[in-house]
Amino acid sequence: GGTGGGTGCGGGGDRGGISRKKAKASPEKRPQKKKKDKDAPKRGMSAFMLWMNASRASIKEEHPDAKVTDIGRIAGAKWKEMDAEAKAPWDAKAKADKERYEAEMKAYKAKQRASLAADDSDSSEAAAPAKPAAGSDSDSD
């Protein structure tokens, strides 16, 4: 009788048809990403992100061997455990940061519109007189 010793089935280097190659997305199918304007104001931070930035050092002290991903996980768990009263000051800071962003964005958009309007008026004035001037040279004989 067999005790289930090595029969030679399924123990080799064959991976069972699992391919490790990743399919590359063709560049035509991927939508073009807009270039980010470096002058645009930064978005307002969430209450959690503000708290996380302030708490990161103390979390690292508590868990010195933790990786960045671990610190994020630990911080997320701590934030979840916090009550509304403990989160309130961070919510207020987040609201203030959102208002800062909205004010900066309003000014930024106004500046963008002003520069676009200036560009449009310059180009239309420069382009309009060019055609009659070109035709008048041949008639001067």
Side-chain angles (χ1 to χ4, degrees):
T3 58
T7 57
C9 290
D14 184 28
R15 303 277 297 155
I18 298 170
S19 172
R20 289 189 156 228
K21 288 183 183 174
K22 287 185 181 176
K24 287 187 179 178
S26 58
E28 299 92 39
K29 289 183 183 176
R30 192 173 291 166
Q32 279 294 328
K33 200 171 164 186
K34 268 198 275 182
K35 288 265 190 270
K36 192 173 192 326
D37 188 351
K38 64 180 187 332
D39 297 330
K42 288 201 175 223
R43 296 276 319 233
M45 275 200 229
S46 67
F48 170 73
M49 287 305 296
L50 291 164
W51 172 82
M52 172 83 173
N53 288 341
S55 307
R56 186 175 280 115
S58 65
I59 293 170
K60 276 190 94 142
E61 279 177 25
E62 289 173 32
H63 307 275
D65 299 332
K67 295 181 208 155
V68 173
T69 51
D70 298 332
I71 289 170
R73 199 174 298 114
I74 293 163
K78 280 189 174 196
W79 178 257
K80 228 174 183 178
E81 289 170 10
M82 287 169 66
D83 60 347
E85 198 176 309
K87 289 181 185 179
W90 300 106
D91 288 332
K93 287 179 185 178
K95 189 177 178 193
D97 200 30
K98 183 179 179 183
E99 287 166 3
R100 182 245 353 133
Y101 168 72
E102 286 171 354
E104 285 180 15
M105 199 62 187
K106 198 173 183 181
Y108 170 75
K109 282 186 175 176
K111 191 174 132 189
Q112 291 293 96
R113 274 196 288 274
S115 69
L116 279 174
D119 289 349
D120 287 349
S121 63
D122 291 347
S123 62
S124 61
E125 287 170 20
K131 282 186 181 174
S136 62
D137 287 346
S138 61
D139 294 339
S140 61
D141 285 323

